[in-house]
Amino acid sequence: MAVVTYKCPNCDGGLVFEPGSQKFTCDYCGSSFTEEEVRALDPARQSAQAAGEAREAPDRDRSGQQQEAEPQAMLYSCPSCGAQVVTDDTTAATFCYFCHNPVVLEARLQGEFAPDQVIPFAVDREKAVQSFLDWVGKKKFVPRAFFSQDQIEKLTGVYFPYWMADLDVRGSLNTTGTKVRVWRAGNYEYTETSRFQLVRDGSFRFPELTRNALNSKYNRQLVDGVLPFRTGELRDFQMSFLSGFQAEQRNMERGDVEQDVCEEARDYTRKLLQDTAAGYTLVDTSSLQAEVSASDWRYVLLPVWVLTYKGTGGKTYYYAMNGQTGKVAGRVPVSNAKLAALFASVWAGVSALMMLAGAMVW
């Protein structure tokens, strides 16, 4: 089965996307290229065969002219935990970043699974590693295995899939607002009740409402803590952005998240309309209406540096870093040995004080 690689035109080495420079670099000769230069490279130089298979014949249109080959991503499946990882052949997909077991080739990412947009990595691996060490350094009683060199080498740049929607919502409020005023004059208490006709109507636009496109709780734990992303930096998807990174394939379709996203937009609309009716003692909101009038959906990939660790009892701990903004989140294991050592040192100090106090009494 054919795979995609991006070759340096100077030395034929593999090109990798470099977050810091936002260019594609060659580790062999040091050359660097812009996205436009990579896309302009001879397509014949950009395809290679997996496992020594013969080169596939190019597609031709009805006139017999050769068509430019479309890059195809590849889908790997972990035989241990079932996690799916998408990558091109420049990435060493040698382990699953959830369970660290080897992964095997299953199929290509294509057709309906091709992303519409992507936010490229802006934080490189060196910065991601240093950020991880700084973060761990602020935690107490973390076992050394969690930040050992072998563990650090498993820090992986992963593109996670999301559904993103731009929604237009039409809202209206036609009701009565009541104001009650109470005052005293002499021995009498007066109450004045005023009722007002309230009419509110308007259109609202909610851009880039986002939902994780993975139904695994581990995936959600990894990425929810590093939100949000700067969605203004979304770019049209190009396979070349995957060079040197991995990517998760979605397992939730638009229909799985659409109702939840639309209801969120309707809730926002109802709240905004209700806020315009402030200053009343009572507002009947039974006539408050909000309906989605238009929607535009996109399938996007967002960058995250991830690291997971299997603790005692099979419990999974993780570290995640937003590959665009640098925001970090995670959950660390606790070393029972370090806790025992702390308890022993404290107890030794207390015992010494007690013995000294006893000696002074005698």
Side-chain angles (χ1 to χ4, degrees):
M1 179 182 295
V3 296
V4 174
T5 187
Y6 295 87
K7 296 290 187 179
C8 174
N10 297 330
C11 70
D12 213 36
L15 293 177
V16 175
F17 181 71
E18 173 57 45
S21 64
Q22 293 290 290
K23 292 184 177 181
F24 298 84
T25 61
C26 175
D27 291 336
Y28 294 94
C29 68
S31 300
S32 64
F33 304 89
T34 65
E35 178 187 352
E36 291 73 18
E37 289 171 333
V38 170
R39 295 173 64 180
L41 293 176
D42 181 5
R45 296 174 62 87
Q46 305 311 317
S47 55
Q49 294 302 107
E53 294 183 14
R55 183 178 299 275
E56 295 180 347
D59 293 334
R60 296 181 182 275
D61 58 23
R62 294 182 180 179
S63 64
Q65 298 296 317
Q66 179 175 323
Q67 296 178 336
E68 184 174 325
E70 281 292 326
Q72 299 291 328
M74 306 194 70
L75 175 64
Y76 295 81
S77 180
C78 174
S80 177
C81 71
Q84 293 183 322
V85 179
V86 182
T87 182
D88 62 7
D89 72 329
T90 61
T91 300
T94 57
F95 65 92
C96 168
Y97 52 86
F98 286 114
C99 67
H100 301 160
N101 282 303
V103 292
V104 295
L105 176 63
E106 183 179 276
R108 294 178 180 177
L109 182 66
Q110 59 184 357
E112 63 179 307
F113 289 103
D116 299 307
Q117 292 180 302
V118 61
I119 293 180
F121 273 87
V123 178
D124 60 26
R125 181 178 179 81
E126 182 179 353
K127 291 181 180 178
V129 170
Q130 187 59 53
S131 176
F132 169 71
L133 293 175
D134 292 342
W135 181 77
V136 172
K138 298 176 183 178
K139 309 295 181 181
K140 296 182 179 180
F141 312 120
V142 180
R144 290 186 178 276
F146 184 70
F147 53 93
S148 67
Q149 186 59 40
D150 288 343
Q151 181 73 359
I152 292 175
E153 289 176 359
K154 295 171 183 175
L155 183 67
T156 307
V158 183
Y159 285 102
F160 281 91
Y162 284 82
W163 284 109
M164 186 174 292
D166 300 330
L167 300 183
D168 294 322
V169 182
R170 185 76 179 181
S172 64
L173 174 64
N174 191 338
T175 187
T176 300
T178 303
K179 287 186 176 181
V180 178
R181 187 168 69 99
V182 180
W183 73 95
R184 297 188 63 88
N187 295 326
Y188 296 93
E189 181 179 271
Y190 298 89
T191 300
E192 178 186 79
T193 302
S194 304
R195 292 182 173 84
F196 302 85
Q197 182 72 21
L198 302 181
V199 178
R200 304 287 189 270
D201 188 83
S203 296
F204 303 84
R205 182 168 181 80
F206 300 99
E208 299 165 349
L209 296 177
T210 306
R211 284 294 184 276
N212 193 316
L214 293 167
N215 60 15
S216 167
K217 66 178 182 179
Y218 295 112
N219 285 288
R220 294 182 183 279
Q221 288 175 345
L222 283 171
V223 297
D224 285 353
V226 299
L227 295 174
F229 288 83
R230 296 190 298 266
T231 53
E233 298 177 15
L234 279 164
R235 298 163 69 173
D236 290 339
F237 177 74
Q238 298 292 333
M239 267 294 301
S240 54
F241 288 126
L242 297 187
S243 291
F245 299 97
Q246 295 185 4
E248 270 281 331
Q249 184 197 34
R250 74 173 191 260
N251 56 14
M252 295 181 69
E253 298 305 315
R254 167 180 164 179
D256 297 326
V257 301
E258 186 168 9
Q259 182 176 353
D260 182 51
V261 173
C262 289
E263 186 56 36
E264 178 182 344
R266 287 192 288 265
D267 286 342
Y268 284 151
T269 300
R270 286 190 284 262
K271 184 179 185 305
L272 290 171
L273 288 173
Q274 190 170 352
D275 287 346
T276 67
Y280 295 91
T281 306
L282 177 65
V283 176
D284 181 9
T285 59
S286 60
S287 65
L288 191 58
Q289 302 294 326
E291 293 299 331
V292 175
S293 58
S295 64
D296 178 33
W297 289 80
R298 288 161 289 164
Y299 174 40
V300 302
L301 295 181
L302 303 179
V304 182
W305 287 100
V306 297
L307 182 67
T308 60
Y309 174 79
K310 286 287 187 181
T312 56
K315 193 172 184 178
T316 301
Y317 301 89
Y318 67 93
Y319 168 83
M321 177 183 184
N322 188 309
Q324 178 197 41
T325 67
K327 181 181 178 181
V328 302
R331 183 178 65 181
V332 298
V334 175
S335 171
N336 292 329
K338 289 186 177 182
L339 284 175
L342 175 65
F343 178 79
S345 63
V346 171
W347 177 250
V350 172
S351 298
L353 288 174
M354 292 176 63
M355 293 177 63
L356 178 61
M360 294 177 64
V361 171
W362 285 100

